[in-house]
Amino acid sequence: SMDQLAKGIIFGHFAVSVFLGIVSFFGYLIIGYGDSLTYAFITTIVGIIPLIGASLVPFALAVYSLFSGSYTTSLLLFMLSLILSILSNFAYMYVSRRTSSLHPVLIVLGMIAGPVAMGLSGFFLGPIILGSFHNLIKLSIYNRNKA
């Protein structure tokens, strides 16, 4: 149902974002970069953006560290950014499989196309609209076969 699809997508975004924030906290702690809790909180908030959100914060910090001459810290932050990006992709696929009847590829397609068409709200609305369209097609095929 649409209600379940919407709840699943929104819950999935927030759950993955919190998970990535926790992972980033330990990453910042191990690297020893500033206030780990604050950076993890910012990473959690930015992590709501699917697929790349959580990796943006350590990436920006890595670029800053690179220009500041902290090459080792920069390399470690780049690695954290890569780890968060990989984890994000797998986590979104896992959560979308558990919370939605849509195929994960359709959800990712909605996450990519949604913001292009509708701006920031498209991250949430894109998969929901795509799911509605998918359900409409399934219903029309079911009704055609039934007749």
Side-chain angles (χ1 to χ4, degrees):
S1 78
M2 283 310 302
D3 189 40
Q4 180 186 2
L5 177 67
K7 285 179 184 176
I9 290 170
I10 292 170
F11 170 76
H13 276 52
F14 286 109
V16 171
S17 178
V18 169
F19 167 71
L20 295 171
I22 292 169
V23 171
S24 73
F25 170 75
F26 289 109
Y28 295 127
L29 202 59
I30 291 168
I31 295 169
Y33 194 86
D35 183 7
S36 301
L37 189 59
T38 302
Y39 287 122
F41 181 72
I42 294 168
T43 302
T44 301
I45 292 171
V46 177
I48 292 173
I49 301 171
L51 307 176
I52 61 165
S55 63
L56 292 176
V57 175
F59 182 81
L61 294 173
V63 171
Y64 176 77
S65 294
L66 183 66
F67 287 121
S68 298
S70 303
Y71 302 115
T72 305
T73 303
S74 178
L75 178 65
L76 292 172
L77 286 166
F78 275 124
M79 288 173 48
L80 178 60
S81 178
L82 181 65
I83 290 168
L84 290 176
S85 180
I86 292 168
L87 282 175
S88 174
N89 287 312
F90 283 113
Y92 276 112
M93 293 299 165
Y94 177 79
V95 169
S96 67
R97 238 185 231 146
R98 297 284 180 214
T99 59
S100 172
S101 62
L102 274 180
H103 194 279
V105 172
L106 288 175
I107 292 176
V108 171
L109 181 64
M111 287 180 190
I112 293 169
V116 172
M118 295 174 269
L120 191 58
S121 64
F123 283 118
F124 298 105
L125 295 177
I128 292 170
I129 291 171
L130 192 58
S132 301
F133 185 67
H134 180 259
N135 288 340
L136 182 66
I137 290 172
K138 281 175 41 179
L139 279 173
S140 66
I141 291 171
Y142 174 76
N143 286 336
R144 186 170 18 132
N145 290 338
K146 193 175 172 183

